[in-house]
Amino acid sequence: MRIDVVSIFPEYLAPLDLSLVGKARTSGLLDLRVHDLRDWTTDRHRTVDDTPFGGGAGMVMRPDVWGTALDELLDEDAHLLVPTPSGEPFTQRTAEALAGESHLVLACGRYEGIDARVAEHYRSHGRVTEFSLGDYVLNGGEVAALVVVEAVARLLPGVVGNPESLVEESHGAAGLLEYPVYTKPPTWAGLGVPDVLLSGHHARIARWRRDTALERTAARRPDLVAGLRVEDLDAHDLAL
Ligand code: ADE
């Protein structure tokens, strides 16, 4: 997969050299390129923004600078992703869909955002998704780009060493949060580990994990419980 990230703060993306994403890059599984938007400016001050039409506080990113950059980076296969607090929610389902694509281009806005004509223009040429990480406002799209690259890259075949670790995690196919996990020592700070996990009884462990995942999801994310499909529940689930 190829991913291009465009930002006026390319240094913000430095963590993408580390850990699993860094390894995916050096091994060639991920061709990730970070670009400085100002490289596409033509004036002495390398200007990327201007005052908003209609007035108001803050600055808006100019469509002409973004247009020059994106005309160069977007090919036929590319999917343009624009992080913005007014976008559609980015979820594990979004990450799964994006992991099946060949080329993503992330356009990181700053200030009050990117002139709306940029998304409109590229939507008539190809795929464009404006997405939000959640209901809060960040200073720009860079952190969102880090999130997308990490969430997508770990789903690419070969990036996570043991693919089984992708199976039972929160927001997986079951639509539940993950059950609590424990390791050694068996007693810490006066706290033990649930007996069932030390029992070696695989069926009981699986049942306990399912029950605690459901309880946790009900307590922390009732919105997810509402979205569960009845056919995915068994008699024991329904008795909880
Ligand atoms: N840019 C600023 N806030 C954001 C958010 N919540 N999600 C994605 N991009 C953003």
Side-chain angles (χ1 to χ4, degrees):
M1 168 181 277
R2 173 162 168 186
I3 303 182
D4 290 278
V5 183
V6 188
S7 162
I8 57 167
F9 295 120
E11 300 85 353
Y12 229 114
L13 287 305
L16 297 177
D17 283 333
L18 305 174
S19 185
L20 289 180
V21 174
K23 274 195 210 135
R25 294 174 79 177
T26 47
S27 72
L29 290 172
L30 178 63
D31 176 7
L32 175 72
R33 307 178 198 188
V34 178
H35 310 269
D36 186 342
L37 177 68
R38 293 192 201 276
D39 290 346
W40 281 281
T41 56
T42 47
D43 65 318
R44 200 159 56 89
H45 300 291
R46 298 176 30 104
T47 309
V48 294
D49 60 339
D50 215 318
T51 52
F53 283 125
M59 301 291 271
V60 175
M61 293 189 109
R62 292 179 58 109
D64 48 354
V65 180
W66 273 108
T68 317
L70 295 174
D71 282 348
E72 190 175 321
L73 295 173
L74 291 170
D75 53 28
E76 269 192 4
D77 303 324
H79 187 159
L80 176 61
L81 301 172
V82 186
T84 163
S86 46
E88 58 192 72
F90 179 81
T91 67
Q92 188 63 22
R93 302 290 92 79
T94 323
E96 286 162 3
L98 294 177
E101 305 213 14
S102 57
H103 187 193
L104 307 177
V105 177
L106 279 143
C108 302
R110 281 264 147 185
Y111 317 117
E112 298 306 307
I114 302 174
D115 185 301
R117 289 169 291 183
V118 173
E120 184 185 340
H121 172 71
Y122 289 103
R123 206 165 264 137
S124 59
H125 291 71
R127 278 164 310 152
V128 178
T129 301
E130 295 177 89
F131 72 91
S132 168
L133 290 190
D135 295 338
Y136 41 80
V137 179
L138 304 167
N139 287 333
E142 287 75 10
V143 169
L146 290 173
V147 168
V148 169
V149 172
E150 180 154 326
V152 171
R154 64 195 296 284
L155 299 178
L156 301 177
V159 171
V160 170
N162 179 1
E164 278 192 19
S165 60
L166 301 177
V167 174
E168 288 206 357
E169 59 192 8
S170 293
H171 303 293
L176 299 176
L177 301 185
E178 202 183 9
Y179 48 79
V181 295
Y182 302 86
T183 186
K184 295 177 194 69
T187 306
W188 175 80
L191 299 170
V193 169
D195 287 338
V196 61
L197 299 180
L198 309 173
S199 70
H201 195 300
H202 296 302
R204 271 194 230 136
I205 292 171
R207 187 69 250 173
W208 178 88
R209 287 180 167 165
R210 171 84 183 169
D211 290 348
T212 51
L214 273 167
E215 283 161 11
R216 226 181 209 196
T217 310
R220 299 178 181 181
R221 293 292 302 276
D223 57 313
L224 293 181
V225 175
L228 289 174
R229 297 179 315 172
V230 181
E231 56 267 35
D232 291 335
L233 300 173
D234 58 30
H236 198 283
D237 291 341
L238 293 167
L240 273 183

